[in-house]
Amino acid sequence: MKTLLVTLLLLAALPAMADQTGADQLYQQGVAAYKIQDYPRAIRLFDAAIAANPAHAGALLDRAISQYEQGDLDAARDSFARLSRLADIPPPIAELVQHYREALDTPPDWNRQHNLSFGLGRSNNANQGLGNSQFEFGELDPYYLARADDYVEWQYQLDAQRLSDNHHRYLLLYQRQWQRERDANQALILGGASWQWPRAHGTVHLHGQLGQSFQNGNTLYQAGSTSVAWQQPLLTGQLWLRGGLQQRQHPQDAASSNRVWQLGASYRLPRARQQWQLDVALARDQALANRPGGERQRKEIAVQAQWLLGPRLLLQANIGWTQEQQAEIFSPLFGDTRRRDNTVSQGLGLQWQLPENEQLTLGWQRQKQRSNIVLYAISQQEWRLGWQKSW
């Protein structure tokens, strides 16, 4: 995107050319498509601009960059070579072309980024039904008990990406958290890989990951997931359609082991200083053992937004609604019933970019769950202060 802005600024310095009006109109339409990452359409428009004016340096340059971003490296190599043969190219553009040509002539290498973060937080969970664990008919799941807990956590993440005809990326994450009230030490190890294949009518993404969680040295669960997504520009934004499968095994709590199938869609709408995203999803949660409530059906809808408040300050907000319905269960208060939970969540976050690739974060999240069974009506809030260093 920075490269595109440089192109726009320097284009005014190029000499006048024939069919300037028609070529420029096509070029500007291509720029609009590039901004929403619709690279196939941008390339077609840049091609049309070049057909109208073969010496249109802006269209030649941005077509080459679009081909590079799309992963069509051979075509990008030819476009940069053609651009370098033009006369009267401003020195900054000539330097940019030379930079890309050197990158294309160099065998693909890994681009690695390391992230280390620390966080302090407090989670407050209030049960609005019954506030203690023992009642006449049995014991309530500890998740639904009224409690408050402070925690300290740190996390290391390695993100490795390699540019090739099918971009691929690998992720390794290690996280530790200590919860004061329960005196619990939790750890998470997660590894993942993803690939993407640009196509004429969108981009296909494939992702998979494996992870294991521990508490006080014992395995909490082992999980694996895979998902496939199709990304397609739509109007002035990006449409994502996705499907996935996740399976989780709990060695010490077989009733919690499950398999989740999910279908969803997202629409991202970027703007100059803000971005909006709408997410919808349907999920089917299958128990792998004799779980109270059996199978669960879930519907989700959420809206996320980001605003750039200044050169280094970003505000984030989200709101979401989830409805989950279980099969027949026995409730000590209502007898046989189908439990239905409706959860509304809200969140706010601030990111402040510091020098030397450091970042401060402040976040707040709230969830309020209503249920036709009073025991499962809960309200939860969490505050978190964090710091991150990247290199």
Side-chain angles (χ1 to χ4, degrees):
M1 192 64 71
K2 292 181 179 178
T3 301
L4 188 63
L5 295 176
V6 171
T7 304
L8 291 171
L9 292 172
L10 295 174
L11 188 61
L14 299 174
M17 301 175 182
D19 296 325
Q20 187 75 18
T21 302
D24 282 350
Q25 288 177 348
L26 292 166
Y27 171 69
Q28 294 300 331
Q29 294 174 22
V31 168
Y34 179 96
K35 286 181 177 179
I36 62 170
Q37 300 178 8
D38 188 352
Y39 299 127
R41 183 169 183 270
I43 292 170
R44 291 195 298 271
L45 289 165
F46 293 142
D47 283 341
I50 294 167
N53 180 3
H56 196 296
L60 285 166
L61 176 60
D62 288 338
R63 181 182 69 173
I65 294 173
S66 298
Q67 291 165 338
Y68 183 87
E69 295 291 346
Q70 186 177 248
D72 191 351
L73 304 185
D74 290 336
R77 191 176 290 107
D78 293 340
S79 295
F80 280 119
R82 178 176 175 179
L83 181 60
S84 66
R85 291 193 292 268
L86 290 180
D88 300 326
I89 300 179
I93 291 183
E95 293 176 5
L96 186 62
V97 171
Q98 184 61 28
H99 168 77
Y100 273 102
R101 294 190 69 184
E102 291 175 356
L104 286 165
D105 291 336
T106 303
D109 197 7
W110 290 104
N111 178 24
R112 297 178 178 86
Q113 178 170 309
H114 305 266
N115 297 292
L116 180 64
S117 62
F118 294 88
L120 300 173
R122 179 172 179 82
S123 176
N124 182 12
N125 182 19
N127 188 299
Q128 299 169 325
L130 296 179
N132 58 69
S133 60
Q134 300 294 328
F135 54 96
E136 184 178 353
F137 303 95
E139 184 172 347
L140 185 64
D141 185 334
Y143 174 78
Y144 298 101
L145 299 183
R147 68 178 188 273
D149 207 349
D150 303 318
Y151 65 85
V152 178
E153 70 177 21
W154 68 272
Q155 175 179 294
Y156 168 74
Q157 177 177 309
L158 171 62
D159 192 345
Q161 300 186 55
R162 188 177 187 181
L163 179 66
S164 61
D165 290 338
N166 57 324
H167 301 198
H168 44 282
R169 172 183 179 187
Y170 296 95
L171 173 71
L172 175 65
L173 181 144
Y174 180 73
Q175 182 185 74
R176 292 295 300 267
Q177 184 183 96
W178 175 69
Q179 298 171 350
R180 183 173 64 89
E181 293 294 327
R182 293 191 293 171
D183 193 22
N185 280 285
Q186 294 186 352
L188 173 65
I189 301 176
L190 180 68
S194 61
W195 297 264
Q196 67 179 47
W197 293 271
R199 292 294 182 265
H201 300 287
T203 302
V204 178
H205 299 259
L206 177 65
H207 178 74
Q209 66 181 34
L210 294 172
Q212 187 163 349
S213 178
F214 305 87
Q215 179 169 304
N216 297 335
N218 299 315
T219 299
L220 275 180
Y221 64 82
Q222 299 168 330
S225 67
T226 183
S227 63
V228 62
W230 176 63
Q231 174 192 359
Q232 170 66 37
L234 179 65
L235 300 177
T236 59
Q238 289 281 333
L239 174 67
W240 292 70
L241 301 176
R242 63 185 183 276
L245 169 65
Q246 181 186 47
Q247 183 163 316
R248 181 177 291 190
Q249 298 280 355
H250 291 254
Q252 300 183 37
D253 183 12
S256 297
S257 299
N258 65 337
R259 180 186 295 121
V260 179
W261 301 84
Q262 187 177 62
L263 292 175
S266 299
Y267 185 68
R268 298 177 184 174
L269 190 62
R271 289 293 182 262
R273 299 179 64 85
Q274 57 184 281
Q275 177 172 291
W276 294 81
Q277 178 170 322
L278 172 67
D279 301 304
V280 294
L282 297 174
R284 180 183 180 187
D285 186 340
Q286 298 175 313
L288 300 180
N290 186 20
R291 178 179 65 185
E295 185 174 297
R296 303 172 182 176
Q297 304 288 338
R298 189 163 63 245
K299 304 174 185 177
E300 301 174 3
I301 185 169
V303 176
Q304 304 177 49
Q306 296 182 353
W307 295 272
L308 188 62
L309 302 182
R312 296 179 177 272
L313 190 61
L314 180 70
L315 173 65
Q316 299 173 312
N318 66 79
I319 184 169
W321 169 81
T322 302
Q323 183 185 72
E324 184 171 277
Q325 181 170 294
Q326 296 186 345
E328 295 287 337
I329 68 169
F330 176 78
S331 166
L333 298 183
F334 297 98
D336 290 335
T337 185
R338 294 177 65 88
R339 173 183 158 195
R340 293 181 301 276
D341 299 337
N342 286 278
T343 305
V344 176
S345 61
Q346 306 102 25
L348 288 173
L350 279 174
Q351 292 184 2
W352 184 23
Q353 192 68 39
L354 303 175
E356 305 298 331
N357 295 322
E358 297 182 12
Q359 181 177 275
L360 284 178
T361 60
L362 177 64
W364 168 80
Q365 193 75 26
R366 180 188 177 188
Q367 289 186 334
K368 189 169 185 178
Q369 178 172 296
R370 294 185 177 182
S371 177
N372 62 325
I373 302 179
V374 67
L375 302 178
Y376 299 104
I378 62 174
S379 179
Q380 182 174 359
Q381 292 191 76
E382 181 174 349
W383 292 87
R384 188 182 187 281
L385 176 65
W387 169 88
Q388 177 176 299
K389 170 73 173 179
S390 302
W391 68 95

